Each structure stands twice: as C-alpha cells, then as structure tokens.
Amino acid sequence: MAVIVQKYGGSSVADADAIKRVAKRITEARRAGDDVVVVVSAMGDTTDELIDLAHRITPTPPLREMDILLTAGERISMSLLAMAIANLGVHAQSFTGQQAGVITDDSHGRARIIAVKADRITRALSDGNVAIVAGFQGVNEASNDVTTLGRGGSDTTAVAIAAAIGADVCEIYTDVDGVFTADPRIVPTARKISRISYEEMLDMAASGAKVLNLRCVEYGRRHGVDIHVRSSFSAHTGTLVTDRPRPEGDPMEQPLIAGVAHDRSEAKVTVVGVPDVPGTAARTFEVVAASGVNIDMIVQNVSAAATGLTDISFTLPAADGQQVIEALTSHREEIGYDSLQYDDQIGKLSLIGAGMKSHPGVSAKLFGALRDAGVNIEMISTSEIRVSVVTRADQLDDAVRAVHTAFDLDSDEGEAVVYGGTGR
Amino acid sequence: MAVIVQKYGGSSVADADAIKRVAKRITEARRAGDDVVVVVSAMGDTTDELIDLAHRITPTPPLREMDILLTAGERISMSLLAMAIANLGVHAQSFTGQQAGVITDDSHGRARIIAVKADRITRALSDGNVAIVAGFQGVNEASNDVTTLGRGGSDTTAVAIAAAIGADVCEIYTDVDGVFTADPRIVPTARKISRISYEEMLDMAASGAKVLNLRCVEYGRRHGVDIHVRSSFSAHTGTLVTDRPRPEGDPMEQPLIAGVAHDRSEAKVTVVGVPDVPGTAARTFEVVAASGVNIDMIVQNVSAAATGLTDISFTLPAADGQQVIEALTSHREEIGYDSLQYDDQIGKLSLIGAGMKSHPGVSAKLFGALRDAGVNIEMISTSEIRVSVVTRADQLDDAVRAVHTAFDLDSDEGEAVVYGGTGR
C-alpha cells in the first residue's frame, strides 16, 4: 500500500463531467488500496473570472482581499470533487489550506510555504478517507489571514503536502502525457521523457517548458519528493522527476541531452554606450533590481578601444519591459549611457542535459545546427547543464526543430500529443 | 459615536455596480464617525447556482461538503466589498465566519450559533477599519469544520455579531422600506410600521412576512439587540424591532394591530375517521414529528356521537406534504384512521398585534370582515397576540384587503412600494 498525492489542474476539473471523470480515477487508486490525498485547482477559468470581477470594482484591489477572493475558486472545486467521490461510494473530505495546515509567510499573492502541519490530513487518511486539499492557498501564521502562492501554486501545494505526509510519490495530472524533449506543437517527433533529474527539470522549467511550476520542482528537490507528471486523460506512465538512481536492470543510460526548451515571452534591452569602467554594470543592474524585475541572460560586449564605451544587453519577461525602461530612463545620468534599445521580437532556445557536463563540444554542435538552419544567434549564455541562445522570434521554431534533430532526440513514432500549460 | 452593524442581502450586492453603491453607503456611515461592521450575503443568485452545480455532480451531496461549497459565495462578495470600500479611501478588512469567531454546533446546513468570539472584529474596528463579515457561515468548535446557518442565516449572523460587540443597532438592509402592515403587492394602501416588538415581529415572520428571518428576531430578543429593517435603495428610516419603551414625547400609542400577514406556502392534511379516544391525537402527531416535519395549525372536530369517530386537520409547509402523507400511510393501522385528505390550495391569513391582548372582540371583528367579503373560513387558530385563519388560496388576497381595511390599517398616502424577500 502506497501513500499517493495527486494534483489536478483547472482544466482537469473544468466542469461537472470533468470532475466526475477525475473522481473515478481517484476512487480507482483508493480501491487499489492506496492512501490518496488530492490537491485541486479552481475549475477552468474561475481564477481569471474572479480577477476580472475585482478589476470591475477597483483598479488596485488590496492584496489581502484579492487572496480571499481567489481562494473561493478552490473551495468550490474541492467540495464538488469530494461530493463526486462520495457519490462513487468512497469516503472523502475536503480541506481548505488553513484546515490542511498549509502555513505561509505573509506575502499576499506570492506567499511561500514555510510549514505544513498535516495532522488533519493524516487523520482523515487513517479514518479511511480520500483527503481533498485546496491548492494554491494557505494562511499566515501570525494572523490566520488567507494567502495565495501565485500562479502554478497548486503544484507546490501538492509537493509540500507530499513531503509533509511522507508520500511515496506526488502525481501532477495535466493535459499532456508528461515532459517532452521539445514542445510537440513545434516538433511533432518530440519524445516523452520517462525520467529526468530535478536539476534538469528546473532548467527546463526556467527555460520555458510550462508543464511544471519552477517552485514545485525546487520544493521537490529540497525534500526529495518524487514527482510524476502525467495525463489526466490517459493511463500512460508520464515523466518521473527524481534524483533516485535508476533501478537495476533499467536499460536506459543517462542521456546526453534531456530536451530542448523554448521561450517566446522575453524581451531584450540593450543599454548602448556605457563607460567601460568598473562599476557600470553594477549600477545598471542595481537600478533594474530596484524596479523589482527578475532578469535572465546578460551579455556585455568587448568595448571599442577608441571610445572606451561598451553595450550591455539583457533579457527579461516582456511583461516587465516598460517598468525597466522607465527605471533606466530616470537613472540615465547616473549610469551614463547614450541610449536604450528595446526588442520584444526575440525567442530563446535552451538545450538542457546533465549529460553535457562530461561531453565537450555540445555548444559547438548546437551552433553548427543553427548555422546549417540559417538561424542567427544574438546572445549566448551557458551553465553546467544548459546552453541558451537568443534568436529572432520568427526563427525560433526552425531553430528548435534543427537542434532537436541534431541531438538525435526525434522519436521514430511521432505520436500526436498536445503540449500545454498545467493550469496552476 | 455609535457602533453599527449593517447587513446587506444578496440583491444589494448582486453585481459590481451594486457593490460600489453599498460601499458608498458604508463609507458615509464610517465618515460620520461610527464604527461599522458589515455582514454580507453572497451575490445575487450565487447560492442557488452553487446548489445547482452540486446537483449536477450528485443527487445527495454530503452536507459537510455542501457547506464548504456554499460558503464560497460570501467569500467572493465580502472581499469585493472590502475592495470597493478601500477604493473609496476607507480602510476595510473582510473576515470569514471562522475568522470572525462565529462558532456553531455541527448541524451542517442548519447550524445554530453557540458563541461569537469577536476579538478580531473589535481589533479591526479599533484599528480604524470597517470590518466585513461573511454572513450565513461559521465553524463548529470541535473540528473547525465549516458550517452554514440555513436560508436567511446572514440576518442571524448580523444580530449575533451585534450582540457580541455590543452594537447600538443592527441595520438589516433589504429591497423594501421596512415591515408593512400587509404585503403592499396585495394591499397598495399598506403602511410602513415604524416600531414593532420582537414578539409581534416573530408572529409576523412566522405567519408569512418574509422581510426578516425568524431566528434572527429570536436571537435579537434574547440578547436585546435593536434591529432596524430598512431599504438599501433609500435613506428613509425603516422599521425598528425593539422592546425598549417608546421615547418620551412619542405621540404614537401602541396600536391595536401591528399588521396582517399571509402565507401561501402551506397545505392542509385531514386525517379522516379516527377513533375519538384518548391517545389518538398523540399517536398521529408522534408519527408526523418522527418524519421531521414542523406542523403549524391543528384542529380537531367534535366527534359524531353515533360513530365515535372524529377528524383531525393540520397545516404544514406544502414542501413537506409528500413526506408526511407517506409517514401517515405507513402507520395507518396503528393510528386506525379511515382515509387521508391532502389540500394544497389553501391560504393562511394572520392578524398580529400585542394590543389585542387587552381588546376583546378582535376575533369577532375579523370573522365579520371576512364574512362581509364572502370569504369562507376553514380553520381557526389563536394565540395571545395573533389570530390566524385558513381560507381558499384564491380568496386570500380579498381576505387580506378586507381585514386590513376593517382594522383601519390603510394609509392615506398609498405610496408605491415593493415588498419582497431579503435574500438570506
């Protein structure tokens, strides 16, 4: 008998029929003898609808009240799911974040889980219930105020509960079969990855693969929770995110490359003509950091000797572009640059694989594949297990396909799959 | 500076514009220097929509889960209302039933408030906030499980909070101007009652006047909370429910009659041909009580001496009719009756007024007015401050108008008002 946490996203519980389908899957696991905890997101577009409603009231909703509002969504989905399970003859009880003991800091709208006091959950399990837990929400310890974890927070709830109760596995159900070597909408021959390390999965998620939330993978790594990403529409095994050694007799070797991720959501800022003296970069990024924006890649060119000036380019979420341009503009004299360039027509391709640590020549092969495909590289950034390049946005798909093929990731089968987000 | 509890029903917060309108009224009270606690129901038809959703999942939703589901409604309305108040520059914080300290027994779906631990509310007030409290909901003490108080429960929440914090008055906002001497849809000349005792109000509510929930009036009487029923669409003074003596110099005397209530929701059951021996009535009503149905009026005719048999008639909510008929049918031999008659085409008229205690002849005058209007009386029941009669349903409106006129309740003005429910 295993202890299993299952997490279902908004698209898996979008309406009454979907909830009944999910309930059936849950009761099957329970009847097979497992203890089952289910973490559930709000139904379909509920969260977006509630946000719209708030913005019809005020352009600047207080964050504390916004969190109370949004958590109504899981309250609805979790109680309906408990009803649907009960209707199939299996005992079920639903629990809010507060009741499930999900304690967070008090950063409304993007709270971090600091503890999970799961005694009600373990008691519900030992009483023979399936325990349904509201994803995405918790309460802060000081004032018992409701908090939310931000987009994708239900994944984190699931892994945190799994860690707290010592679950054997945390299953994240989504609308795709798992994590793929590339987005199958772009690369029809992309393969499902059967097993991937936390580190690789983190780099995949940070590089644009949307199937798993970054913080959930971090939490899983820190607490050693095996995460099984799989489809709520099929019984197929999905992708196991784990650092455990492969079982004896597993014929698979650690592959060189886990996959090719891409990201179309970034923009590039170039600070043109800054003095090439110590401290310029520091000042520039102090200004950017003070604006509260996370940046991604940074490139500084060699300075032209004649002028003593250089350019600094960096990428950031395009949604934050305006904010950073305003911050830099208001500090122009202090930084001492000539001009700013802003470009949101870029794409980022990332090649990820722990295997590349011990294989020289990965970058060279990547650049060669892009050259052969006629794709120009605008920025390059590398880490131990990742190489990322920035291209024109309209060349990104060609780039992903070329690299996927060059590294022998194409499947022979080319099964039709749909690749998308996981709700939250 | 006064401490005021204001309660707004679902129709007062039906959409974003309505919420903004209510927020404006609340901030006006706050800016006038009062401490304000607001109790709010779910928006418009939210509760009914959630019930529908549950029934699309299962015909028999577990009550615990149903309560969690339904309480999502107030979570939405209360946070939106807090946002709308904040948008007008006044500090506001919303609180769930649990956060507001509303402790109930564990009868899911019809819980009773057993304590209100209002320290968070009083703290929010002393910090200068308007406190918004979710109506209709609480938690049971033993397990911190969410409970609901049943239809009309938000009125009870408001009065309970008012009692707990020692508020000067509990204002129940609704879509009518107050309590009227009769339903103005039937009697256009009905007058607004400016002041009424708890006892009269209880009898009005129990006799079909829907403007105030029965349990809320009971709670108010027990804790001495003045209840001011008024319209959220005007600034008019409404109806004050209180037992405090009238202020010195008030020209109004205690009127003979408070008003005429009517009820179209009942049905009549007649148990025909029961033995007229001691214990028959007891057995009959033991069977009815065991079926969990509350009955209203009971009449037993004099037995025909020749047969030793008699008939027992009683009224009950028509919604419970089927259930009682089934219970009586399955105990036919035990009770020993001949047959059952069921009639849901009845109406009930009640004349209510504490003044009638000291005025003989009220019943005679009532019966005379009905006779003159050609209305046949099928059952009669009296208490110290109430006379109720059952008529044919299609004669009820005529009966109400005739009695209203006979007791000089008609207003000279005949202002157009709308009379309806208060949401919950």
Side-chain angles (χ1 to χ4, degrees), chain A residues 302-322:
Chain A
V302 176
S303 69
T307 60
L309 296 178
T310 186
D311 301 338
I312 300 177
S313 293
F314 59 90
T315 63
L316 77 177
D320 296 331
Q322 192 58 36

Side-chain angles (χ1 to χ4, degrees), chain A residues 48 51 89 113 127 144 158 177 246-247 313 321 384:
Chain A
D48 289 332
I51 292 172
I113 296 176
D127 288 349
N144 191 27
D177 273 342
R246 283 167 188 278
S313 293
E384 247 195 327

Side-chain angles (χ1 to χ4, degrees), chain A residues 25-228:
Chain A
R25 182 183 275 269
I26 294 166
T27 55
E28 281 162 9
R30 175 75 194 119
R31 289 209 163 103
D34 292 332
D35 276 350
V36 184
V37 177
V38 176
V39 174
V40 68
S41 301
M43 294 168 72
D45 299 326
T46 306
T47 304
D48 289 332
E49 286 163 14
L50 291 173
I51 292 172
D52 282 354
L53 200 50
H55 286 132
R56 263 180 274 155
I57 300 280
T58 167
T60 53
L63 293 176
R64 177 186 183 277
E65 301 302 326
M66 199 66 182
D67 276 357
I68 292 172
L69 177 68
L70 295 186
T71 51
E74 287 79 29
R75 217 173 172 81
I76 295 171
S77 57
M78 76 184 204
S79 51
L80 291 175
L81 185 54
M83 290 175 193
I85 293 171
N87 195 41
L88 296 174
V90 169
H91 293 290
Q93 286 195 319
S94 68
F95 299 97
T96 62
Q98 192 249 348
Q99 291 172 334
V102 179
I103 312 293
T104 72
D105 61 19
D106 50 11
S107 307
H108 286 291
R110 50 188 177 85
R112 299 190 75 88
I113 296 176
I114 55 180
V116 178
K117 299 177 178 171
D119 10 321
R120 276 206 83 172
I121 302 302
T122 49
R123 203 162 61 237
L125 292 180
S126 61
D127 288 349
N129 290 289
V130 171
I132 317 286
V133 177
F136 177 63
Q137 58 181 256
V139 286
N140 63 18
E141 191 141 40
S143 60
N144 191 27
D145 271 335
V146 178
T147 55
T148 66
L149 310 180
R151 287 274 160 178
S154 291
D155 289 359
T156 309
T157 303
V159 173
I161 298 271
I165 65 172
D168 295 277
V169 65
C170 178
E171 298 180 337
I172 306 282
Y173 284 88
T174 177
D175 49 5
V176 294
D177 273 342
V179 183
F180 281 74
T181 52
D183 184 341
R185 285 175 304 196
I186 294 174
V187 184
T189 54
R191 283 202 311 254
K192 186 175 72 190
I193 301 169
S194 63
R195 196 181 177 100
I196 190 171
S197 69
Y198 297 112
E199 195 179 16
E200 289 168 314
M201 192 63 233
L202 281 173
D203 261 323
M204 290 284 278
S207 303
K210 292 185 186 64
V211 70
L212 262 193
N213 173 259
L214 197 60
R215 280 164 57 192
C216 130
V217 183
E218 281 174 354
Y219 204 105
R221 175 165 69 169
R222 211 158 51 243
H223 294 85
V225 176
D226 285 359
I227 303 171
H228 184 181

Side-chain angles (χ1 to χ4, degrees), chain B residues 26 154 375:
Chain B
I26 294 166
S154 291
V375 174

Side-chain angles (χ1 to χ4, degrees), chain B residues 38 40 49 67 83 127 134 167 184 195 201 227 241 267 282 324 332 386:
Chain B
V38 177
V40 68
E49 287 164 12
D67 277 356
M83 289 175 193
D127 289 349
R195 193 180 180 100
M201 191 64 233
I227 303 172
V241 187
V324 163
R332 180 172 173 175
R386 181 175 52 84

Side-chain angles (χ1 to χ4, degrees), chain A residues 237-300:
Chain A
T237 302
T239 300
L240 188 66
V241 187
T242 183
D243 276 350
R244 281 186 296 143
R246 283 167 188 278
E248 295 250 0
D250 186 329
M252 304 279 285
E253 264 187 275
Q254 169 72 42
L256 177 64
I257 299 298
V260 184
H262 72 275
D263 192 344
R264 230 178 280 274
S265 68
E266 297 203 335
K268 182 174 70 170
V269 173
T270 304
V271 188
V272 180
V274 291
D276 190 9
V277 294
T280 304
R283 258 201 312 284
T284 305
F285 290 108
E286 274 161 19
V287 168
V288 173
S291 74
V293 172
N294 285 319
I295 59 170
D296 182 20
M297 296 165 70
I298 302 176
V299 171
Q300 181 171 346

